[in-house]
Amino acid sequence: MSLTSYSAVVRRLVVSPGPAQEQRAQIVASAAGVSAVLRAFGRPLDRLPVRTVVYIGAAALDPGLGPEHEGFTVRTALGPGGALRLAHRELQSGATDFALVAGFGEPDTHTITVYAVKRAAEAVADADRVLGVLDGTGTDEDGTPPLRPLHHGHRATDPERHRLLLWSGRDTEDETRVRGELLPLLSGLHSEAFPALPTAVPCGTPPGPVRGAAVTVAALAAGTVHKATAVRAGRTRPVALLFPGQGSQHAGMARGLYRREPVFTAAVDAALSHMGDEGARIREDWLTPGEPRVPIDDVRRAQPLLFAVDYALGRMVLGWGVRPAALLGHSAGELVAAVIAGIVSLPDAVGMMMTRVREAVKIPEGGMLAVAASEERLRPYLNADVAIAAVNAAQQVMLAGSAEPLAATAARLRADGLTVVTVPATSPFHSPAMAPASDAVEADYARVPLREPVLPLYSGYTGALMRPEEALSPRFWARQITDTVHFRAALEELLAIEDVLLVEAGPRQTLTAFARRHRAVRLGASAVTPLLPARHGTAEGDRQSVLNAAARIWTEGHDLDMDAVSRLWTWSDEEQPPAAAAPSTAAVLREPAPALPS
């Protein structure tokens, strides 16, 4: 059964309410008690998800306890079982994004047991420590819904799959010694044992500054490790994540990671689950080889699927223990960056994106062109129907407009000897033609709770660091449909602050190509690495590309969560033969980094 069908209990804490209440025979659910519940896990209240609800299960309620406390909804039930069932139902309906379920007087009369409950796919994607999943169909003897183990996937030990081997030393001599100890092991190792080798050696000691990495299969492991070049990690450059937008999509993008990497899989499922029935159709089109129901370049497929893939790739990198120093999204990718930055919740961001799609399909057909020329060079070709859609690099500009005027402009450009490439898009995004759609979505966005970013986000629409007032403005997000994307300026601003390792969390390596043209990258002050291949290939090619990116982050000097990275070759959710099938629902995942938004 899909993870999206469950609510997951991700954490449990038993708290004592305080001396005044301890004197009572039975704890009464009061305003002070709800305050204790909200703070039980040590997170600032402004970092709790917007749709956080406190569910109180208690035999006695303070008459002064209202339906809202400190800005959060409070719901009550006669006991903890009733509160858990209510939380489960409302999580599944979408009315709640995060539930704090408190049993007052549980497990004894002087304590409160608090559970943090999420939808299961989101809990796995957020790398929470999952205790189990609620079964809303039955109850235990005490009336509490049973807590089932979470079985999400099974161990995979295919020696033909690529895996990552990492090693390090205190200095060059020490690295040579460690590698020398590793090579005989690889030469004499039975191939079936290859996936079970530790990810990094030496084991049990902190990694040294001289680092080596190899992405290889069992048969080639010894030779690949022998030829690998060790790197001395000097000043570790922080990671900045890049999220591409429409035009980067292609059929089958990142499909090789789905059901073969747990956080990516859960994050895709979480994003698609908020798209309702359309999400299931998008998944089917994505995973089924052959002709899809809706072409991938149609806005109804391109933007929802690209959002899910970008978001899942970003969550996967966070799951490795990498905390990005900055975020930058291109066009629709800026909405993904907003989720990671804590500006908007995943369900609300999906809703914003689907509203954008719904309004975009009402606009007459149009498209986009990529032109190898400067912004100034192209100004004579602009008119009321054709506008500059994006400035991506010094000599790479995109134009957008309605179909016929854009075709006429393309003919003029080619006649004048300019290189013109049609961008895979069927809507004239970032042009005046989209103005009716922008006005329509602004009214819808006014109802979306927005917050200030908790991570630096560089906006392609201002070409600068996003200000709090911009993040909180429905108009700012709505006008992105019509406004020019100033990716070059935003990247310039980001790279002017400090040297960074740019990691593109999306398909096709479009933003990687733009970044490589930047002077800071050409000179080696900053660097860029993509997560996915430049074009559609094999499923194993997708995984190999991600492993190469992980190796690049490691040799840069970042310490990775080795258990999380190893799941790329030790985990699978693909069907097994009946005799070896795993139970249908048990992975215990680690606690998330507390500063990251849920």
Side-chain angles (χ1 to χ4, degrees), residues 41-376:
F41 296 101
R43 294 182 68 174
L45 298 192
D46 62 354
R47 295 273 54 90
L48 289 172
V50 174
R51 280 191 290 271
T52 294
V53 177
V54 180
Y55 295 86
I56 300 296
L61 297 175
D62 187 325
L65 180 61
E68 185 176 296
H69 182 71
E70 296 193 69
F72 295 94
T73 299
V74 177
R75 301 197 190 283
T76 59
L78 289 178
L84 278 166
R85 285 193 296 274
L86 180 59
H88 175 77
R89 286 197 301 271
E90 295 196 349
L91 279 163
Q92 298 312 316
S93 71
T96 300
D97 290 333
F98 185 62
L100 291 170
V101 182
F104 279 68
E106 298 289 335
D108 57 55
T109 57
H110 303 298
T111 56
I112 307 170
T113 298
V114 184
Y115 292 97
V117 189
K118 294 180 179 179
R119 286 176 285 265
E122 289 165 46
V124 173
D126 291 345
D128 280 315
R129 180 172 57 84
V130 179
L131 301 182
V133 291
L134 293 175
D135 184 348
T137 62
T139 59
D140 290 334
E141 293 180 0
D142 61 357
T144 303
L147 194 61
R148 311 291 189 198
L150 172 63
H151 291 271
H152 179 42
H154 55 85
R155 184 164 177 79
T157 56
D158 182 358
E160 299 306 313
R161 290 179 68 179
H162 284 82
R163 63 154 293 168
L164 189 58
L165 289 169
L166 306 173
W167 64 94
S168 66
R170 296 183 301 275
D171 50 34
T172 302
E173 184 178 345
D174 192 39
E175 183 274 329
T176 302
R177 178 189 61 79
V178 171
R179 193 192 311 222
E181 293 174 354
L182 178 59
L183 284 171
L185 175 63
L186 295 174
S187 299
L189 187 70
H190 192 283
S191 62
E192 295 297 330
F194 181 66
L197 283 176
T199 305
V201 293
C203 301
T205 59
V210 181
R211 301 185 173 195
V215 176
T216 182
V217 294
L220 303 175
T224 305
V225 170
H226 176 72
K227 294 176 183 177
T229 302
V231 177
R232 177 175 288 277
R235 186 185 68 82
T236 301
R237 291 173 290 195
V239 167
L241 292 179
L242 306 179
F243 297 97
Q246 185 162 352
S248 297
Q249 76 282 348
H250 61 76
M253 55 182 173
R255 193 160 57 195
L257 300 177
Y258 190 75
R259 306 191 75 175
R260 299 307 294 264
E261 205 292 328
V263 172
F264 178 88
T265 303
V268 168
D269 284 345
L272 294 180
S273 72
H274 295 297
M275 301 177 195
D277 293 340
E278 184 64 11
R281 289 189 285 269
I282 291 170
R283 182 191 288 104
E284 184 179 355
D285 267 359
W286 176 47
L287 297 178
T288 304
E291 197 67 26
R293 286 195 190 97
V294 179
I296 186 62
D297 295 334
D298 189 299
V299 66
R300 294 171 296 167
R301 281 295 178 271
Q303 294 213 4
L305 184 54
L306 193 59
F307 179 98
V309 167
D310 283 8
Y311 171 73
L313 290 169
R315 275 294 173 200
M316 181 182 68
V317 173
L318 295 180
W320 295 346
V322 176
R323 179 179 171 82
L327 308 167
L328 170 58
H330 189 292
S331 186
E334 189 157 311
L335 195 53
V336 178
V339 179
I340 303 297
I343 294 171
V344 62
S345 71
L346 175 64
D348 285 330
V350 170
M352 292 169 72
M353 183 270 305
M354 295 301 281
T355 298
R356 193 152 102 168
V357 170
R358 184 184 67 239
E359 297 301 326
V361 297
K362 299 176 183 178
I363 303 299
E365 188 173 332
M368 295 176 163
L369 303 172
V371 187
S374 68
E375 185 176 0
E376 292 72 22

Side-chain angles (χ1 to χ4, degrees), residues 468-492:
E469 59 268 28
E470 291 165 341
L472 298 173
S473 167
R475 179 59 187 154
F476 173 82
W477 295 102
R479 70 181 176 86
Q480 293 188 0
I481 297 175
T482 56
D483 285 10
T484 301
V485 179
H486 297 283
F487 179 80
R488 179 193 179 195
L491 183 64
E492 183 76 39

Side-chain angles (χ1 to χ4, degrees), residues 162 215 244 247-258 264 286 306 309-310 313 316 503-513 516 529-550 568:
H162 284 82
V215 176
S248 297
Q249 76 282 348
H250 61 76
M253 55 182 173
R255 193 160 57 195
L257 300 177
Y258 190 75
F264 178 88
W286 176 47
L306 193 59
V309 167
D310 283 8
L313 290 169
M316 181 182 68
V503 177
E504 183 174 3
R508 208 184 281 278
Q509 301 185 11
T510 305
L511 303 187
T512 297
R516 283 175 177 156
T529 188
L531 283 172
L532 291 176
R535 57 187 60 85
H536 178 59
T538 65
E540 189 64 13
D542 286 345
R543 293 189 288 271
Q544 188 176 359
S545 183
V546 169
L547 289 170
N548 283 325
L568 277 159

